[in-house]
Amino acid sequence: MHIDILTVLPELLASPFEHSIMKRAQEKGLLTVQTHALRKWAVNEYGQIDDYQYGGGAGMVMMCEPLANAIEELSKERAYDDIIYLTPDGARLDQKMANSFSLKHNLLLICGHYKGIDERIRQQYVTKEVSIGDYVLSGGELAAAVLVDAIGRLLPGVLGDETSALTDSFQDHLLAPPVYTRPVDFRGHRVPDVLMSGDHKKIEDWRYEQSIQRTKERRPDLLD
Ligand code: 6GU
């Protein structure tokens, strides 16, 4: 999969994909992430990419021209399956959405800033609008990093254990069960006996029970 990210702050996205699982995904050639500085397509030599909003009011709006020119230039390189605008008024990201994006080949992510991007770009180029939750961030970059991570780890071959993404919280609408490692006794608190029983069926049943119980207690909405 290839992901292009259009941003006014490429520096902010320099490191999130250079560690751990995203790093491995790229080293294995399963994922390529490329950030593009929107200022490259600025309307003048001052690097202008935003302007005052029609109708008045505080806050700048990202202009049509730099975005349209950038999108068109990048689209010559690749046919995008989706052009995704990261915005608090987009559809809320969940595991199902991440799963569905993970099946695509080429994605273009657009990070919003200030008051957002001109509505005409949303209408004419953007195919999906995504929010990562009901709170406001100062820009779309961190949201883009979250989206890339959520998608990237789902690509076949990225996770060491091919099945491990399938047992994540949310993957089956249940939260993950509790996990333990050594020592067996930590300051008087013991690992549940069943996990050391060696009985795989019993362990599987226990984990499933724990998942259901956890989900009932913490996220009953997931069980609906
Ligand atoms: Cl995608 N962008 C911004 N600026 N704020 C957000 C968001 C995105 N998702 C949640 N809050």
Side-chain angles (χ1 to χ4, degrees), residues 15-50:
S15 100
F17 315 120
E18 286 174 8
H19 308 277
S20 181
I21 290 168
M22 291 305 107
K23 180 183 180 186
R24 201 169 56 197
Q26 294 186 86
E27 284 172 351
K28 284 185 172 175
L30 301 168
L31 173 68
T32 47
V33 182
Q34 217 177 333
T35 59
H36 303 270
L38 183 63
R39 294 215 192 269
K40 189 177 150 193
W41 292 275
V43 293
N44 55 32
E45 69 262 42
Y46 307 110
Q48 188 182 356
I49 49 88
D50 60 346

Side-chain angles (χ1 to χ4, degrees), residues 86-88 130-133 135-140 143:
L86 281 309
T87 175
V130 175
S131 159
I132 63 163
Y135 42 82
V136 178
L137 302 170
S138 47

Side-chain angles (χ1 to χ4, degrees), residues 174 208-219:
L174 291 177
Y208 184 64
E209 292 270 312
Q210 290 286 316
S211 278
I212 303 237
Q213 199 178 314
R214 255 191 190 197
T215 311
K216 270 185 191 157
E217 283 166 14
R218 300 176 185 203
R219 293 292 307 274

Side-chain angles (χ1 to χ4, degrees), residues 66-136:
L67 284 165
N69 289 334
I71 293 167
E72 283 167 12
E73 189 174 324
L74 293 171
S75 296
K76 280 183 202 153
E77 291 286 316
R78 283 188 179 78
Y80 293 110
D81 296 295
D82 269 313
I83 296 180
I84 303 168
Y85 174 43
L86 281 309
T87 175
D89 60 0
R92 186 130 37 106
L93 175 64
D94 59 13
Q95 193 60 46
K96 186 170 159 232
M97 195 194 288
N99 291 347
S100 134
F101 281 135
S102 77
L103 301 173
K104 313 280 184 175
H105 298 290
N106 295 305
L107 298 174
L108 174 59
L109 274 44
I110 300 173
C111 304
H113 256 269
Y114 322 109
K115 281 283 165 196
I117 68 176
D118 190 295
E119 186 66 19
R120 292 165 291 187
I121 294 296
R122 298 173 71 156
Q123 288 167 351
Q124 291 172 41
Y125 295 94
V126 170
T127 59
K128 296 262 162 55
E129 301 189 321
V130 175
S131 159
I132 63 163
D134 291 342
Y135 42 82
V136 178

Side-chain angles (χ1 to χ4, degrees), residues 3 16-17 19 21-22 31 143-154:
I3 303 179
F17 315 120
H19 308 277
I21 290 168
M22 291 305 107
L31 173 68
V146 167
L147 181 59
V148 170
D149 190 294
I151 294 170
R153 61 191 296 288
L154 294 172

Side-chain angles (χ1 to χ4, degrees), residues 141-204:
E141 283 76 13
L142 297 179
V146 167
L147 181 59
V148 170
D149 190 294
I151 294 170
R153 61 191 296 288
L154 294 172
L155 302 176
V158 168
L159 294 183
D161 177 354
E162 279 282 72
T163 62
S164 68
L166 297 175
T167 57
D168 286 340
S169 278
F170 299 109
Q171 202 54 272
D172 45 12
H173 303 281
L174 291 177
L175 300 183
V179 293
Y180 297 86
T181 186
R182 290 189 293 180
V184 166
D185 186 312
F186 173 65
R187 300 175 186 172
H189 300 273
R190 289 182 56 80
V191 173
D193 286 331
V194 60
L195 295 179
M196 294 173 297
S197 68
D199 184 334
H200 295 297
K201 174 76 172 78
K202 249 167 87 177
I203 292 170
E204 194 185 320

